[in-house]
Amino acid sequence: MTDRPTTTTDAGIAAPSDEFSQSVGSNGPLLMQDHYVIQKMAQFNRERVPERVVHAKGGGAHGILKMTADVSQYTKADLFQPGRETPLFLRFSTVAGELGFPDTVRDPRGFAIKFYTQHGNYDLVGNNTPIFFIRDPSQFSDFIHSQKRRQDTHLHDHNMQWDFWTGTPASAHQVTFLMSDRGTPRTWRNMHGFGSHTFMWINAGGEKFWIKYHFKTNQGIENFTDAEAAAMAGEDRDFHIRDLFTAIKSGDHPSWTLQVQVMPFEAAADYRFNPFDLTKVWPHGDFPPIDIGTMTLNRNPENYFAEVEQAAFEPANLVPGIAASPDKMLQGRLFSYPDTHRYRIGPNYLQLPVNRPKVPVHSYNKDGAMRYENYGDPVYAPNSYGGPVAAPELYAHEGYGVTGEIIRSAYRLHAEDDDFGQPGTLYRDVLSETDRANLASNIVGHMKSDGPVTAEILPKVIAYWTSVDADLGARVSKLYNGG
Ligand code: NDP
């Protein structure tokens, strides 16, 4: 006898062998009745859930948000009350590559956080950039198709990417970010995170504010150059996963300072930029960031599939005191994220340990594939039998007035709603001379690789960068032509 546990079927029945199928004689055929081996093979065939259509490759860790300031004058949300400590799970990712893709490729990084608050789960599904490529969700699948593989060759194709970007000038700010050295962060620990969208905060008195979140790395910004990122992709495809896991395991817990920018509710209407346009930042000079908390990652997952692969983040998980803004990309994501989880993991994904809230759930939803917990009778509302009742008073002040015709159009209502102003400011006023030189060379390296830019698209690319800044356009043109 051994003190090791007995192998069992998934039904808990002792397994007959760890090595041998049941056969008729030593060389005879195998038997249908060998349920243990049949279950083993069948379960293996079903080990993969579909990978995420975007943000497939990633890693994550558990942690905590500790509040360091009092922002109760802006929000009544439980997790942001003075002194509150809220457990969380954070998943980092690349966007375009599949599972197994190298971690260090040029790409935005996902920065998705699930806060297990005392009022239910609050998900903030951000990136390492404060902006995005498009401002209307109707373009999202087109944008992602241009980032993925071609139908004919099954290869990535940079010409396709430049064709989409130059045809969509709203992309210029994010593409400038992406092509800068911040497009290849050295580690996940060495980059900022941003909530990116504008959200509404509501205080206990019912006053409303518009806010943006920034998570500033306390490890300092560190980036790879294009060449370093490419070399690391060959050396260690999982460099970012390994770095985070190793740091946390050794007790080196990475942290970020949480900042918010707060805009008075009424200021949105005539602000110089559309404050709900995901391709724009709010310049810090207009709305200075305030330090409000510290987020620390302090515990590695014990089971990658259960905790990282099955983690399901959804911007629609908003708790009382936080509400959606009219940002069109956010509005689209409110639908899209839970929809993709129902497809990818199944309709009851919210019952999985990493996704379930740490507060009781009292819901009239029931049944469906893989549900293991129902809430019992009565199964309808209203009822006369003591079932749960909603709390409309918690959401009483979220509303705001809107008027207008039903239309399809771009934002062009604010004084500086152009596509090239903010990336131009980034190029001229924020980047150092080294950053600018690297930006131009990263752009040209990208244009010349992996399905290089064709003669048809080339003038559009030069015009795009010239619109960001004439000097940048000239540099790209010169470098491209070997200058
Ligand atoms: P500020 O001068 O007040 O702040 C500049 C911002 O740019 C800081 O957040 C800084 O982050 C960040 N930054 C510094 N170097 C780089 C780089 N190489 N690549 C990308 N970002 C960098 O400027 P404004 O707020 O007036 O904004 C000016 C421009 O800065 C914007 O048009 C936008 O492109 C960019 N930016 C603005 C942000 C915002 O939320 N306002 C956020 C990020 C970028 P750090 O603290 O690490 O130095």
Side-chain angles (χ1 to χ4, degrees):
M1 284 298 284
T2 163
D3 57 4
R4 290 168 61 173
T6 304
T7 314
T8 68
T9 69
D10 287 343
I13 305 160
S17 169
D18 288 319
E19 302 161 78
F20 299 114
S21 308
Q22 196 177 35
S23 58
V24 183
S26 59
N27 280 326
L30 307 186
L31 298 179
M32 276 291 285
Q33 68 179 28
D34 190 357
H35 172 65
Y36 175 69
V37 171
I38 288 176
Q39 183 189 69
K40 198 173 175 183
M41 291 194 295
Q43 186 62 31
F44 176 69
N45 291 343
R46 290 162 178 76
E47 272 184 9
R48 295 285 172 274
V49 296
E51 68 174 35
R52 292 169 170 86
V53 64
V54 283
H55 295 271
K57 174 88 184 291
H62 299 270
I64 193 152
L65 173 71
K66 292 186 184 175
M67 292 302 290
T68 53
D70 183 351
V71 286
S72 57
Q73 74 268 34
Y74 302 124
T75 180
K76 63 180 179 180
D78 164 70
L79 80 160
F80 296 130
Q81 297 314 298
R84 190 71 87 239
E85 298 189 3
T86 301
L88 59 93
F89 183 75
L90 192 155
R91 181 175 182 270
F92 301 102
S93 53
T94 45
V95 178
E98 301 85 7
L99 278 167
F101 220 67
D103 284 343
T104 55
V105 291
R106 182 171 302 286
D107 208 1
R109 279 7 186 228
F111 197 101
I113 313 171
K114 187 179 289 293
F115 297 99
Y116 303 98
T117 89
Q118 295 177 28
H119 290 164
N121 286 355
Y122 174 45
D123 292 0
L124 188 59
V125 190
N127 280 327
N128 70 333
T129 67
I131 45 178
F132 199 61
F133 298 88
I134 51 175
R135 60 169 70 93
D136 191 300
S138 71
Q139 289 191 286
F140 187 77
S141 56
D142 299 309
F143 163 59
I144 292 299
H145 289 167
S146 76
Q147 297 279 306
K148 293 275 188 178
R149 294 171 186 274
R150 287 182 61 95
Q151 292 278 71
D152 50 5
T153 59
H154 196 59
L155 293 171
H156 288 115
D157 183 295
H158 287 179
N159 188 60
M160 180 163 78
Q161 299 185 11
W162 287 104
D163 189 21
F164 179 84
W165 288 332
T166 56
T168 310
S171 66
H173 198 184
Q174 175 75 317
V175 179
T176 307
F177 237 95
L178 175 65
M179 292 294 149
S180 82
D181 285 342
R182 292 198 185 192
T184 48
R186 201 180 80 78
T187 76
W188 291 329
R189 298 180 296 127
N190 295 111
M191 63 187 200
H192 300 324
F194 299 89
S196 305
H197 299 289
T198 297
F199 294 90
M200 182 192 284
W201 271 7
I202 307 108
N203 71 14
E207 289 174 282
K208 295 187 265 283
F209 305 86
W210 302 114
I211 63 107
K212 280 189 182 289
Y213 299 100
H214 307 257
F215 293 84
K216 304 302 278 281
T217 173
N218 292 329
Q219 290 65 243
I221 290 278
E222 286 183 36
N223 302 309
F224 279 137
T225 62
D226 216 29
E228 288 167 342
M232 185 53 80
E235 193 178 315
D236 183 355
R237 301 171 79 77
D238 303 316
F239 180 69
H240 287 169
I241 296 181
R242 195 182 317 282
D243 172 82
L244 181 69
F245 191 90
T246 310
I248 292 175
K249 193 174 173 202
S250 71
D252 180 8
H253 296 160
S255 70
W256 286 259
T257 298
L258 172 57
Q259 300 180 327
V260 285
Q261 289 178 285
V262 182
M263 178 186 290
F265 182 81
E266 296 73 20
D270 59 0
Y271 183 45
R272 61 191 176 120
F273 302 109
N274 186 322
F276 310 117
D277 176 351
L278 188 56
T279 70
K280 301 280 192 303
V281 296
W282 300 351
H284 295 152
D286 294 353
F287 298 99
I290 313 164
D291 288 4
I292 70 164
T294 304
M295 177 178 72
T296 306
L297 298 180
N298 53 21
R299 181 162 61 89
N300 280 318
E302 289 171 12
N303 187 300
Y304 183 89
F305 182 80
E307 293 162 69
V308 185
E309 192 61 10
Q310 293 198 129
F313 301 90
E314 46 191 304
N317 281 344
L318 298 161
V319 290
I322 309 169
S325 77
D327 174 341
K328 290 179 181 176
M329 287 301 298
L330 174 60
Q331 295 280 324
R333 295 175 82 207
L334 297 177
F335 154 72
S336 191
Y337 278 63
D339 186 54
T340 195
H341 302 322
R342 289 181 194 108
Y343 162 70
R344 192 175 72 85
I345 320 176
N348 286 310
Y349 65 93
L350 282 167
Q351 294 203 328
L352 294 170
V354 70
N355 298 325
R356 64 184 305 158
K358 296 191 190 304
V359 295
V361 174
H362 302 287
S363 164
Y364 289 104
N365 297 329
K366 69 186 189 75
D367 302 355
M370 298 298 189
R371 195 172 188 99
Y372 69 92
E373 194 172 82
N374 270 327
Y375 307 104
D377 292 308
V379 290
Y380 54 89
N383 63 71
S384 311
Y385 300 100
V389 288
E393 67 282 1
L394 293 176
Y395 305 95
H397 302 286
E398 286 182 4
Y400 53 94
V402 286
T403 56
E405 304 270 301
I406 295 176
I407 56 166
R408 292 180 195 274
S409 85
Y411 299 127
R412 287 286 182 261
L413 302 173
H414 298 248
E416 297 178 46
D417 273 352
D418 68 323
D419 293 318
F420 297 106
Q422 289 201 353
T425 303
L426 175 62
Y427 182 74
R428 286 182 294 273
D429 301 344
V430 177
L431 299 189
S432 67
E433 178 45 34
T434 307
D435 292 335
R436 284 193 285 260
N438 287 356
L439 171 64
S441 101
N442 294 342
I443 290 169
V444 172
H446 194 274
M447 288 166 69
K448 290 193 166 186
S449 58
D450 292 354
V453 163
T454 60
E456 191 182 3
I457 303 302
L458 179 60
K460 296 182 185 178
V461 179
I462 303 301
Y464 181 85
W465 292 115
T466 304
S467 299
V468 171
D469 185 273
D471 172 67
L472 178 58
R475 279 194 202 208
V476 169
S477 179
K478 192 172 166 202
L479 260 181
Y480 185 86
N481 292 306

